[in-house]
Structures are given as structure tokens and as C-alpha cells.
Amino acid sequence: KKSVLGYIGCISGAEMKNEYVKLIENAGFKEVKIIEETRLPAEMVFSDSTAKAIMKELNLTKKNAEELLNSVVSIKISATKP
């Protein structure tokens, strides 16, 4: 839970939220609902040495990094398959 590298590894094959929902619907699921969204804690990123090095290498300002963080979410979905 406290590893930025763990989070990065987890999101490396991520889909866009709308596309992911569409894939679930295309698989035959009905009543697809997003029931929770979780974002990577910013304070964790800004205190992590690896994240700081990546931000420096990419020349990201804190504001740019916050915008980037807000674009990545983990979602929990509820659906039924008839």
C-alpha cells in the first residue's frame, strides 16, 4: 500500500474507464455500475524518492503531477450476468 512502484506496476496495463465499462457490457453483463473510485494518494507520491526522481526527469511541476494523478483511478464495479 505504500509502494509507488507497486501502484505503477498495477496501472501499466490499465484501460480508460469508459472503455473498461464497455468491455464488461460487451461480455454480456447488465446493470453495470461503478460503485467506488479510488485515487493514488498525492501525499504518498510527493514524499516518495522514486516518484520525485521521475517527476524531475520528466520536468513535471507539482501542479502537473497532481493533474496526472487525478486522471488515474481504481474502480469497483457491480454488474449482473443473466
Side-chain angles (χ1 to χ4, degrees):
K1 287 185 176 182
K2 296 182 180 183
S3 169
V4 170
L5 289 176
Y7 276 99
I8 292 170
C10 183
I11 64 171
S12 65
E15 290 284 341
M16 298 298 288
K17 181 171 48 175
N18 294 341
E19 290 299 316
Y20 186 65
V21 170
K22 193 171 294 258
L23 288 168
I24 293 170
E25 291 170 340
N26 289 344
F29 287 88
K30 305 291 182 207
E31 301 175 36
V32 179
K33 299 175 200 158
I34 297 172
I35 56 174
E36 185 179 333
E37 292 188 13
T38 307
R39 287 180 167 69
L40 179 65
E43 62 275 358
M44 181 179 137
V45 172
F46 296 129
S47 65
D48 182 85
S49 59
T50 302
K52 286 179 183 179
I54 292 169
M55 287 173 56
K56 184 176 181 178
E57 184 176 322
L58 296 175
N59 200 27
L60 284 176
T61 65
K62 187 173 180 177
K63 183 179 181 193
N64 293 133
E66 286 173 346
E67 289 173 3
L68 184 59
L69 283 173
N70 286 329
S71 71
V72 178
V73 295
S74 173
I75 60 174
K76 288 184 183 176
I77 292 183
S78 171
T80 60
K81 186 158 185 177

